[in-house]
Amino acid sequence: MSDRFQAVVIGGGPAGYVCAIRLGQLGIKTACIESRGSLGGTCLNVGCIPSKSLLNLSEEFHKVQNLADKGIEVGEVRLNLTKMMKSKDKAVTILTKGVEFLLKKNKVSYFKGIGSLKSKNEILIKDDQNKESLIHADKIIIATGSLPVSLPGIDFDEKIIVSSTGALKLEKVPKKLIVVGGGYIGLEMGSVWSRLGSEVHVVEFLDHITPGMDKEISIEFMKILKKQGIKFHMKHKVESIKKDKLGAIVTTSDKDGNKKNFECDVVLISVGRKPNTNNLNLEKIGIKLDDKKRIKTKDNFQTNLDNIYAIGDVIEGPMLAHKAEDEGIAVAENIAGQSGHVNYDTIPGVIYTTPEVASIGKTEEELKEKDIKYKIGKFSFMANSRAKAIDDTEGFVKILADEKTDKVLGAHLIGPHAGELIAEIGIAMEFGASSEDIARTCHAHPTFSEAVKEAALSVDKRAIHS
Ligand code: FAD
Ligand code: NAD
């Protein structure tokens, strides 16, 4: 195998492997270096996929215990956590192997090892036996992703004090789980373990969960999670976490300095993630970082060195797999002389709890802050016939449209299949549609998507079913 490539991607996550595949499709001689021993990055190995598998399985476990009222009587339902974890692991293995196949199919060379920059055009690869090799590249794409952050002075042991990685592979259901941080990871993993039987307490620094989300949705979301049994301790910060024989004691304090001790078996720290710029030798070759230690890039993903690019979690923007993938495609197309582009105004965010929460575009708070005049259309799933038919009526759709032009500026959903429904609004926004365009589009009956149509009608105060 030659050691000269037109492009080398460091990192085999959604940013890196997608970029490598697209480069391969465009006929560019490409290599992809990945250090974890399997492709797919955080997302496939310890993120999106295992968490969605456990969210689904724990939801099935919960649902099956609550079917009697609907005329479906089952015998005793028991949890076999080992089998459940195996099922999750199987999904991960199938998908990561699938990525390996796709690299091969697109003639991308795959190197297993830690990549670092020796110079502007040379990459050193150290494998797990510490054997080093050097490869050359005209263009280098850094896609090394992100890592969980802990609290100052507290280390993850991934058994008692866990990051999401440990929370995805606990060997038994904790009696009491303390979740520090009410964001994406805390609420998804908190939901999983709550459904499997843990008493879950979320300790959150702010007065609301999921910062950055439309406030009305965030309030409704917390109400629903509380009904499901998750307990919230808002405006609380963690003072210390001390391990003992049984687990840990988490000491928190509120805004007035009142302290509380939580005894628990497991603490999940989910207070955000940091860009992974370790081991790359960036300083030596002079690649600039921003104030949050992310790699600084221009609009075309170029760093300050013009043959080196960066994409995904390691640069600015939401830490989401689909954002990373789109950047991977855009940078590959730019390198091939095309016009790759990512529209950051239409990147959806989805939380895969029950119900799901999905969001795209501007929130009401952002529109107010920017002094943009807007109209609101809202429709509750309570009045949606499909939701009624299957008794899944929590939540609503909220559409924000420009007051004058009616152009859709944002949409925020909480409810059944919200994560799928948001795609319709994404397409509408990409095409610059108005809420009237959505309202005039025929939606099949009976579907959840009719709630989107009705919310669009409601922007003009003419929803039919409410
Ligand atoms: P990563 O996926 O982190 O991949 C980077 C890869 O680079 C890693 O595999 C790493 O091993 C490798 N690497 C690092 N340094 C080197 C080096 N020097 N040499 C070689 N290889 C290196 N996002 C969503 O959109 N939807 C979800 O449902 C979702 N769920 C999540 C659940 C959890 C629990 C977590 C933790 C994250 C979740 N995310 C989700 C976020 C998503 O996983 C990330 O945004 C996404 O993986 C970022 O892709 P990336 O390629 O930039 O980085
Ligand atoms: P997050 O940014 O989503 O949430 C962190 C939460 O912790 C916030 O509510 C914040 O106010 C709170 N917090 C921060 N410091 C705190 C402290 N000292 N004490 C108490 N609370 C504190 O971060 P996350 O949940 O760790 O997830 C990291 C990223 O991974 C997400 O931002 C998201 O980009 C990605 N992710 C996405 C999905 C998805 O798309 N479904 C799922 C999981 C993770």
Side-chain angles (χ1 to χ4, degrees), residues 40-63:
T42 302
C43 174
L44 267 60
N45 291 281
V46 289
C48 324
I49 299 305
S51 62
K52 266 78 259 181
S53 170
L54 287 185
L55 276 157
N56 178 59
L57 294 166
S58 60
E59 178 62 8
E60 305 260 32
F61 177 68
H62 175 77
K63 261 192 187 155

mmCIF file with all atom_site columns, all heavy atoms in Angstrom, residues 40-63:
data_model
loop_
_atom_site.group_PDB
_atom_site.id
_atom_site.type_symbol
_atom_site.label_atom_id
_atom_site.label_alt_id
_atom_site.label_comp_id
_atom_site.label_asym_id
_atom_site.label_entity_id
_atom_site.label_seq_id
_atom_site.pdbx_PDB_ins_code
_atom_site.Cartn_x
_atom_site.Cartn_y
_atom_site.Cartn_z
_atom_site.occupancy
_atom_site.B_iso_or_equiv
_atom_site.pdbx_formal_charge
_atom_site.auth_seq_id
_atom_site.auth_comp_id
_atom_site.auth_asym_id
_atom_site.auth_atom_id
_atom_site.pdbx_PDB_model_num
ATOM 1   N N   . GLY A 1 40 ? -16.829 4.571  13.331 1.00 0.00 ? 40 GLY A N   1
ATOM 2   C CA  . GLY A 1 40 ? -18.146 5.089  13.749 1.00 0.00 ? 40 GLY A CA  1
ATOM 3   C C   . GLY A 1 40 ? -18.079 6.109  14.873 1.00 0.00 ? 40 GLY A C   1
ATOM 4   O O   . GLY A 1 40 ? -19.079 6.742  15.192 1.00 0.00 ? 40 GLY A O   1
ATOM 5   N N   . GLY A 1 41 ? -16.897 6.243  15.495 1.00 0.00 ? 41 GLY A N   1
ATOM 6   C CA  . GLY A 1 41 ? -16.696 7.301  16.480 1.00 0.00 ? 41 GLY A CA  1
ATOM 7   C C   . GLY A 1 41 ? -17.523 7.153  17.738 1.00 0.00 ? 41 GLY A C   1
ATOM 8   O O   . GLY A 1 41 ? -18.021 6.068  18.078 1.00 0.00 ? 41 GLY A O   1
ATOM 9   N N   . THR A 1 42 ? -17.674 8.268  18.422 1.00 0.00 ? 42 THR A N   1
ATOM 10  C CA  . THR A 1 42 ? -18.496 8.323  19.639 1.00 0.00 ? 42 THR A CA  1
ATOM 11  C C   . THR A 1 42 ? -19.904 7.853  19.297 1.00 0.00 ? 42 THR A C   1
ATOM 12  O O   . THR A 1 42 ? -20.504 7.046  20.018 1.00 0.00 ? 42 THR A O   1
ATOM 13  C CB  . THR A 1 42 ? -18.570 9.785  20.148 1.00 0.00 ? 42 THR A CB  1
ATOM 14  O OG1 . THR A 1 42 ? -17.258 10.257 20.391 1.00 0.00 ? 42 THR A OG1 1
ATOM 15  C CG2 . THR A 1 42 ? -19.420 9.897  21.397 1.00 0.00 ? 42 THR A CG2 1
ATOM 16  N N   . CYS A 1 43 ? -20.420 8.359  18.186 1.00 0.00 ? 43 CYS A N   1
ATOM 17  C CA  . CYS A 1 43 ? -21.822 8.131  17.817 1.00 0.00 ? 43 CYS A CA  1
ATOM 18  C C   . CYS A 1 43 ? -22.176 6.646  17.778 1.00 0.00 ? 43 CYS A C   1
ATOM 19  O O   . CYS A 1 43 ? -23.098 6.191  18.460 1.00 0.00 ? 43 CYS A O   1
ATOM 20  C CB  . CYS A 1 43 ? -22.076 8.794  16.471 1.00 0.00 ? 43 CYS A CB  1
ATOM 21  S SG  . CYS A 1 43 ? -23.696 8.474  15.797 1.00 0.00 ? 43 CYS A SG  1
ATOM 22  N N   . LEU A 1 44 ? -21.428 5.884  17.000 1.00 0.00 ? 44 LEU A N   1
ATOM 23  C CA  . LEU A 1 44 ? -21.797 4.473  16.836 1.00 0.00 ? 44 LEU A CA  1
ATOM 24  C C   . LEU A 1 44 ? -21.351 3.611  18.015 1.00 0.00 ? 44 LEU A C   1
ATOM 25  O O   . LEU A 1 44 ? -22.012 2.640  18.373 1.00 0.00 ? 44 LEU A O   1
ATOM 26  C CB  . LEU A 1 44 ? -21.190 3.907  15.539 1.00 0.00 ? 44 LEU A CB  1
ATOM 27  C CG  . LEU A 1 44 ? -22.107 3.980  14.307 1.00 0.00 ? 44 LEU A CG  1
ATOM 28  C CD1 . LEU A 1 44 ? -22.489 5.392  13.981 1.00 0.00 ? 44 LEU A CD1 1
ATOM 29  C CD2 . LEU A 1 44 ? -21.452 3.322  13.109 1.00 0.00 ? 44 LEU A CD2 1
ATOM 30  N N   . ASN A 1 45 ? -20.213 3.968  18.619 1.00 0.00 ? 45 ASN A N   1
ATOM 31  C CA  . ASN A 1 45 ? -19.648 3.098  19.660 1.00 0.00 ? 45 ASN A CA  1
ATOM 32  C C   . ASN A 1 45 ? -20.183 3.379  21.056 1.00 0.00 ? 45 ASN A C   1
ATOM 33  O O   . ASN A 1 45 ? -20.528 2.455  21.782 1.00 0.00 ? 45 ASN A O   1
ATOM 34  C CB  . ASN A 1 45 ? -18.121 3.213  19.655 1.00 0.00 ? 45 ASN A CB  1
ATOM 35  C CG  . ASN A 1 45 ? -17.506 2.599  18.410 1.00 0.00 ? 45 ASN A CG  1
ATOM 36  O OD1 . ASN A 1 45 ? -17.377 1.387  18.330 1.00 0.00 ? 45 ASN A OD1 1
ATOM 37  N ND2 . ASN A 1 45 ? -17.162 3.423  17.435 1.00 0.00 ? 45 ASN A ND2 1
ATOM 38  N N   . VAL A 1 46 ? -20.221 4.671  21.428 1.00 0.00 ? 46 VAL A N   1
ATOM 39  C CA  . VAL A 1 46 ? -20.595 5.003  22.817 1.00 0.00 ? 46 VAL A CA  1
ATOM 40  C C   . VAL A 1 46 ? -21.531 6.208  22.881 1.00 0.00 ? 46 VAL A C   1
ATOM 41  O O   . VAL A 1 46 ? -21.538 6.935  23.867 1.00 0.00 ? 46 VAL A O   1
ATOM 42  C CB  . VAL A 1 46 ? -19.321 5.278  23.678 1.00 0.00 ? 46 VAL A CB  1
ATOM 43  C CG1 . VAL A 1 46 ? -18.544 4.014  23.946 1.00 0.00 ? 46 VAL A CG1 1
ATOM 44  C CG2 . VAL A 1 46 ? -18.438 6.352  23.042 1.00 0.00 ? 46 VAL A CG2 1
ATOM 45  N N   . GLY A 1 47 ? -22.309 6.419  21.827 1.00 0.00 ? 47 GLY A N   1
ATOM 46  C CA  . GLY A 1 47 ? -23.160 7.609  21.802 1.00 0.00 ? 47 GLY A CA  1
ATOM 47  C C   . GLY A 1 47 ? -24.543 7.328  21.278 1.00 0.00 ? 47 GLY A C   1
ATOM 48  O O   . GLY A 1 47 ? -25.311 6.558  21.865 1.00 0.00 ? 47 GLY A O   1
ATOM 49  N N   . CYS A 1 48 ? -24.829 7.926  20.108 1.00 0.00 ? 48 CYS A N   1
ATOM 50  C CA  . CYS A 1 48 ? -26.180 7.888  19.525 1.00 0.00 ? 48 CYS A CA  1
ATOM 51  C C   . CYS A 1 48 ? -26.757 6.472  19.503 1.00 0.00 ? 48 CYS A C   1
ATOM 52  O O   . CYS A 1 48 ? -27.884 6.246  19.964 1.00 0.00 ? 48 CYS A O   1
ATOM 53  C CB  . CYS A 1 48 ? -26.175 8.378  18.079 1.00 0.00 ? 48 CYS A CB  1
ATOM 54  S SG  . CYS A 1 48 ? -25.044 9.720  17.711 1.00 0.00 ? 48 CYS A SG  1
ATOM 55  N N   . ILE A 1 49 ? -26.001 5.537  18.942 1.00 0.00 ? 49 ILE A N   1
ATOM 56  C CA  . ILE A 1 49 ? -26.572 4.216  18.667 1.00 0.00 ? 49 ILE A CA  1
ATOM 57  C C   . ILE A 1 49 ? -26.818 3.387  19.930 1.00 0.00 ? 49 ILE A C   1
ATOM 58  O O   . ILE A 1 49 ? -27.953 2.958  20.173 1.00 0.00 ? 49 ILE A O   1
ATOM 59  C CB  . ILE A 1 49 ? -25.720 3.469  17.612 1.00 0.00 ? 49 ILE A CB  1
ATOM 60  C CG1 . ILE A 1 49 ? -25.708 4.263  16.300 1.00 0.00 ? 49 ILE A CG1 1
ATOM 61  C CG2 . ILE A 1 49 ? -26.202 2.032  17.399 1.00 0.00 ? 49 ILE A CG2 1
ATOM 62  C CD1 . ILE A 1 49 ? -27.087 4.605  15.706 1.00 0.00 ? 49 ILE A CD1 1
ATOM 63  N N   . PRO A 1 50 ? -25.803 3.187  20.790 1.00 0.00 ? 50 PRO A N   1
ATOM 64  C CA  . PRO A 1 50 ? -26.123 2.409  22.004 1.00 0.00 ? 50 PRO A CA  1
ATOM 65  C C   . PRO A 1 50 ? -27.174 3.096  22.872 1.00 0.00 ? 50 PRO A C   1
ATOM 66  O O   . PRO A 1 50 ? -28.001 2.415  23.487 1.00 0.00 ? 50 PRO A O   1
ATOM 67  C CB  . PRO A 1 50 ? -24.776 2.300  22.722 1.00 0.00 ? 50 PRO A CB  1
ATOM 68  C CG  . PRO A 1 50 ? -23.889 3.325  22.110 1.00 0.00 ? 50 PRO A CG  1
ATOM 69  C CD  . PRO A 1 50 ? -24.367 3.525  20.710 1.00 0.00 ? 50 PRO A CD  1
ATOM 70  N N   . SER A 1 51 ? -27.166 4.445  22.901 1.00 0.00 ? 51 SER A N   1
ATOM 71  C CA  . SER A 1 51 ? -28.162 5.109  23.757 1.00 0.00 ? 51 SER A CA  1
ATOM 72  C C   . SER A 1 51 ? -29.570 4.940  23.176 1.00 0.00 ? 51 SER A C   1
ATOM 73  O O   . SER A 1 51 ? -30.523 4.694  23.913 1.00 0.00 ? 51 SER A O   1
ATOM 74  C CB  . SER A 1 51 ? -27.817 6.591  23.981 1.00 0.00 ? 51 SER A CB  1
ATOM 75  O OG  . SER A 1 51 ? -27.806 7.296  22.769 1.00 0.00 ? 51 SER A OG  1
ATOM 76  N N   . LYS A 1 52 ? -29.672 5.013  21.841 1.00 0.00 ? 52 LYS A N   1
ATOM 77  C CA  . LYS A 1 52 ? -31.009 4.831  21.247 1.00 0.00 ? 52 LYS A CA  1
ATOM 78  C C   . LYS A 1 52 ? -31.478 3.390  21.376 1.00 0.00 ? 52 LYS A C   1
ATOM 79  O O   . LYS A 1 52 ? -32.665 3.117  21.544 1.00 0.00 ? 52 LYS A O   1
ATOM 80  C CB  . LYS A 1 52 ? -31.015 5.268  19.779 1.00 0.00 ? 52 LYS A CB  1
ATOM 81  C CG  . LYS A 1 52 ? -31.461 6.699  19.580 1.00 0.00 ? 52 LYS A CG  1
ATOM 82  C CD  . LYS A 1 52 ? -30.410 7.725  19.886 1.00 0.00 ? 52 LYS A CD  1
ATOM 83  C CE  . LYS A 1 52 ? -30.488 8.424  21.189 1.00 0.00 ? 52 LYS A CE  1
ATOM 84  N NZ  . LYS A 1 52 ? -29.441 9.435  21.388 1.00 0.00 ? 52 LYS A NZ  1
ATOM 85  N N   . SER A 1 53 ? -30.538 2.459  21.315 1.00 0.00 ? 53 SER A N   1
ATOM 86  C CA  . SER A 1 53 ? -30.913 1.062  21.515 1.00 0.00 ? 53 SER A CA  1
ATOM 87  C C   . SER A 1 53 ? -31.481 0.885  22.929 1.00 0.00 ? 53 SER A C   1
ATOM 88  O O   . SER A 1 53 ? -32.559 0.311  23.109 1.00 0.00 ? 53 SER A O   1
ATOM 89  C CB  . SER A 1 53 ? -29.680 0.175  21.296 1.00 0.00 ? 53 SER A CB  1
ATOM 90  O OG  . SER A 1 53 ? -29.966 -1.127 21.701 1.00 0.00 ? 53 SER A OG  1
ATOM 91  N N   . LEU A 1 54 ? -30.777 1.408  23.929 1.00 0.00 ? 54 LEU A N   1
ATOM 92  C CA  . LEU A 1 54 ? -31.264 1.246  25.309 1.00 0.00 ? 54 LEU A CA  1
ATOM 93  C C   . LEU A 1 54 ? -32.537 2.047  25.553 1.00 0.00 ? 54 LEU A C   1
ATOM 94  O O   . LEU A 1 54 ? -33.413 1.617  26.309 1.00 0.00 ? 54 LEU A O   1
ATOM 95  C CB  . LEU A 1 54 ? -30.187 1.668  26.316 1.00 0.00 ? 54 LEU A CB  1
ATOM 96  C CG  . LEU A 1 54 ? -28.993 0.721  26.479 1.00 0.00 ? 54 LEU A CG  1
ATOM 97  C CD1 . LEU A 1 54 ? -28.074 1.219  27.593 1.00 0.00 ? 54 LEU A CD1 1
ATOM 98  C CD2 . LEU A 1 54 ? -29.435 -0.716 26.785 1.00 0.00 ? 54 LEU A CD2 1
ATOM 99  N N   . LEU A 1 55 ? -32.658 3.202  24.903 1.00 0.00 ? 55 LEU A N   1
ATOM 100 C CA  . LEU A 1 55 ? -33.908 3.974  25.062 1.00 0.00 ? 55 LEU A CA  1
ATOM 101 C C   . LEU A 1 55 ? -35.079 3.161  24.529 1.00 0.00 ? 55 LEU A C   1
ATOM 102 O O   . LEU A 1 55 ? -36.143 3.078  25.151 1.00 0.00 ? 55 LEU A O   1
ATOM 103 C CB  . LEU A 1 55 ? -33.809 5.316  24.320 1.00 0.00 ? 55 LEU A CB  1
ATOM 104 C CG  . LEU A 1 55 ? -33.114 6.428  25.120 1.00 0.00 ? 55 LEU A CG  1
ATOM 105 C CD1 . LEU A 1 55 ? -32.549 7.495  24.213 1.00 0.00 ? 55 LEU A CD1 1
ATOM 106 C CD2 . LEU A 1 55 ? -34.076 7.059  26.125 1.00 0.00 ? 55 LEU A CD2 1
ATOM 107 N N   . ASN A 1 56 ? -34.868 2.520  23.384 1.00 0.00 ? 56 ASN A N   1
ATOM 108 C CA  . ASN A 1 56 ? -35.939 1.718  22.789 1.00 0.00 ? 56 ASN A CA  1
ATOM 109 C C   . ASN A 1 56 ? -36.272 0.502  23.657 1.00 0.00 ? 56 ASN A C   1
ATOM 110 O O   . ASN A 1 56 ? -37.433 0.252  23.979 1.00 0.00 ? 56 ASN A O   1
ATOM 111 C CB  . ASN A 1 56 ? -35.528 1.282  21.379 1.00 0.00 ? 56 ASN A CB  1
ATOM 112 C CG  . ASN A 1 56 ? -36.589 0.408  20.752 1.00 0.00 ? 56 ASN A CG  1
ATOM 113 O OD1 . ASN A 1 56 ? -37.717 0.820  20.601 1.00 0.00 ? 56 ASN A OD1 1
ATOM 114 N ND2 . ASN A 1 56 ? -36.225 -0.821 20.431 1.00 0.00 ? 56 ASN A ND2 1
ATOM 115 N N   . LEU A 1 57 ? -35.225 -0.218 24.074 1.00 0.00 ? 57 LEU A N   1
ATOM 116 C CA  . LEU A 1 57 ? -35.464 -1.447 24.843 1.00 0.00 ? 57 LEU A CA  1
ATOM 117 C C   . LEU A 1 57 ? -36.096 -1.131 26.206 1.00 0.00 ? 57 LEU A C   1
ATOM 118 O O   . LEU A 1 57 ? -37.020 -1.832 26.648 1.00 0.00 ? 57 LEU A O   1
ATOM 119 C CB  . LEU A 1 57 ? -34.159 -2.226 25.017 1.00 0.00 ? 57 LEU A CB  1
ATOM 120 C CG  . LEU A 1 57 ? -33.566 -2.776 23.713 1.00 0.00 ? 57 LEU A CG  1
ATOM 121 C CD1 . LEU A 1 57 ? -32.134 -3.237 23.915 1.00 0.00 ? 57 LEU A CD1 1
ATOM 122 C CD2 . LEU A 1 57 ? -34.425 -3.925 23.176 1.00 0.00 ? 57 LEU A CD2 1
ATOM 123 N N   . SER A 1 58 ? -35.629 -0.086 26.850 1.00 0.00 ? 58 SER A N   1
ATOM 124 C CA  . SER A 1 58 ? -36.198 0.248  28.166 1.00 0.00 ? 58 SER A CA  1
ATOM 125 C C   . SER A 1 58 ? -37.642 0.727  28.012 1.00 0.00 ? 58 SER A C   1
ATOM 126 O O   . SER A 1 58 ? -38.488 0.465  28.862 1.00 0.00 ? 58 SER A O   1
ATOM 127 C CB  . SER A 1 58 ? -35.341 1.298  28.879 1.00 0.00 ? 58 SER A CB  1
ATOM 128 O OG  . SER A 1 58 ? -35.268 2.482  28.118 1.00 0.00 ? 58 SER A OG  1
ATOM 129 N N   . GLU A 1 59 ? -37.938 1.391  26.899 1.00 0.00 ? 59 GLU A N   1
ATOM 130 C CA  . GLU A 1 59 ? -39.311 1.846  26.652 1.00 0.00 ? 59 GLU A CA  1
ATOM 131 C C   . GLU A 1 59 ? -40.225 0.631  26.416 1.00 0.00 ? 59 GLU A C   1
ATOM 132 O O   . GLU A 1 59 ? -41.351 0.578  26.911 1.00 0.00 ? 59 GLU A O   1
ATOM 133 C CB  . GLU A 1 59 ? -39.328 2.809  25.459 1.00 0.00 ? 59 GLU A CB  1
ATOM 134 C CG  . GLU A 1 59 ? -40.697 3.331  25.044 1.00 0.00 ? 59 GLU A CG  1
ATOM 135 C CD  . GLU A 1 59 ? -41.420 4.155  26.103 1.00 0.00 ? 59 GLU A CD  1
ATOM 136 O OE1 . GLU A 1 59 ? -40.814 4.479  27.147 1.00 0.00 ? 59 GLU A OE1 1
ATOM 137 O OE2 . GLU A 1 59 ? -42.622 4.432  25.916 1.00 0.00 ? 59 GLU A OE2 1
ATOM 138 N N   . GLU A 1 60 ? -39.712 -0.357 25.673 1.00 0.00 ? 60 GLU A N   1
ATOM 139 C CA  . GLU A 1 60 ? -40.499 -1.585 25.446 1.00 0.00 ? 60 GLU A CA  1
ATOM 140 C C   . GLU A 1 60 ? -40.786 -2.255 26.785 1.00 0.00 ? 60 GLU A C   1
ATOM 141 O O   . GLU A 1 60 ? -41.891 -2.721 27.049 1.00 0.00 ? 60 GLU A O   1
ATOM 142 C CB  . GLU A 1 60 ? -39.715 -2.584 24.572 1.00 0.00 ? 60 GLU A CB  1
ATOM 143 C CG  . GLU A 1 60 ? -39.241 -2.041 23.258 1.00 0.00 ? 60 GLU A CG  1
ATOM 144 C CD  . GLU A 1 60 ? -40.111 -2.449 22.097 1.00 0.00 ? 60 GLU A CD  1
ATOM 145 O OE1 . GLU A 1 60 ? -41.317 -2.597 22.319 1.00 0.00 ? 60 GLU A OE1 1
ATOM 146 O OE2 . GLU A 1 60 ? -39.566 -2.592 20.985 1.00 0.00 ? 60 GLU A OE2 1
ATOM 147 N N   . PHE A 1 61 ? -39.753 -2.325 27.645 1.00 0.00 ? 61 PHE A N   1
ATOM 148 C CA  . PHE A 1 61 ? -39.894 -2.952 28.960 1.00 0.00 ? 61 PHE A CA  1
ATOM 149 C C   . PHE A 1 61 ? -40.964 -2.229 29.768 1.00 0.00 ? 61 PHE A C   1
ATOM 150 O O   . PHE A 1 61 ? -41.827 -2.853 30.399 1.00 0.00 ? 61 PHE A O   1
ATOM 151 C CB  . PHE A 1 61 ? -38.535 -2.892 29.679 1.00 0.00 ? 61 PHE A CB  1
ATOM 152 C CG  . PHE A 1 61 ? -38.553 -3.433 31.077 1.00 0.00 ? 61 PHE A CG  1
ATOM 153 C CD1 . PHE A 1 61 ? -38.756 -4.794 31.316 1.00 0.00 ? 61 PHE A CD1 1
ATOM 154 C CD2 . PHE A 1 61 ? -38.345 -2.601 32.171 1.00 0.00 ? 61 PHE A CD2 1
ATOM 155 C CE1 . PHE A 1 61 ? -38.764 -5.299 32.612 1.00 0.00 ? 61 PHE A CE1 1
ATOM 156 C CE2 . PHE A 1 61 ? -38.354 -3.097 33.468 1.00 0.00 ? 61 PHE A CE2 1
ATOM 157 C CZ  . PHE A 1 61 ? -38.565 -4.456 33.689 1.00 0.00 ? 61 PHE A CZ  1
ATOM 158 N N   . HIS A 1 62 ? -40.917 -0.911 29.711 1.00 0.00 ? 62 HIS A N   1
ATOM 159 C CA  . HIS A 1 62 ? -41.879 -0.109 30.466 1.00 0.00 ? 62 HIS A CA  1
ATOM 160 C C   . HIS A 1 62 ? -43.291 -0.301 29.903 1.00 0.00 ? 62 HIS A C   1
ATOM 161 O O   . HIS A 1 62 ? -44.247 -0.507 30.638 1.00 0.00 ? 62 HIS A O   1
ATOM 162 C CB  . HIS A 1 62 ? -41.448 1.359  30.387 1.00 0.00 ? 62 HIS A CB  1
ATOM 163 C CG  . HIS A 1 62 ? -42.405 2.300  31.006 1.00 0.00 ? 62 HIS A CG  1
ATOM 164 N ND1 . HIS A 1 62 ? -42.505 2.458  32.376 1.00 0.00 ? 62 HIS A ND1 1
ATOM 165 C CD2 . HIS A 1 62 ? -43.336 3.109  30.466 1.00 0.00 ? 62 HIS A CD2 1
ATOM 166 C CE1 . HIS A 1 62 ? -43.442 3.333  32.642 1.00 0.00 ? 62 HIS A CE1 1
ATOM 167 N NE2 . HIS A 1 62 ? -43.966 3.744  31.503 1.00 0.00 ? 62 HIS A NE2 1
ATOM 168 N N   . LYS A 1 63 ? -43.390 -0.260 28.574 1.00 0.00 ? 63 LYS A N   1
ATOM 169 C CA  . LYS A 1 63 ? -44.715 -0.335 27.907 1.00 0.00 ? 63 LYS A CA  1
ATOM 170 C C   . LYS A 1 63 ? -45.409 -1.652 28.189 1.00 0.00 ? 63 LYS A C   1
ATOM 171 O O   . LYS A 1 63 ? -46.600 -1.688 28.463 1.00 0.00 ? 63 LYS A O   1
ATOM 172 C CB  . LYS A 1 63 ? -44.531 -0.190 26.391 1.00 0.00 ? 63 LYS A CB  1
ATOM 173 C CG  . LYS A 1 63 ? -44.798 1.196  25.876 1.00 0.00 ? 63 LYS A CG  1
ATOM 174 C CD  . LYS A 1 63 ? -44.884 1.132  24.367 1.00 0.00 ? 63 LYS A CD  1
ATOM 175 C CE  . LYS A 1 63 ? -44.983 2.506  23.756 1.00 0.00 ? 63 LYS A CE  1
ATOM 176 N NZ  . LYS A 1 63 ? -44.499 2.500  22.398 1.00 0.00 ? 63 LYS A NZ  1
#
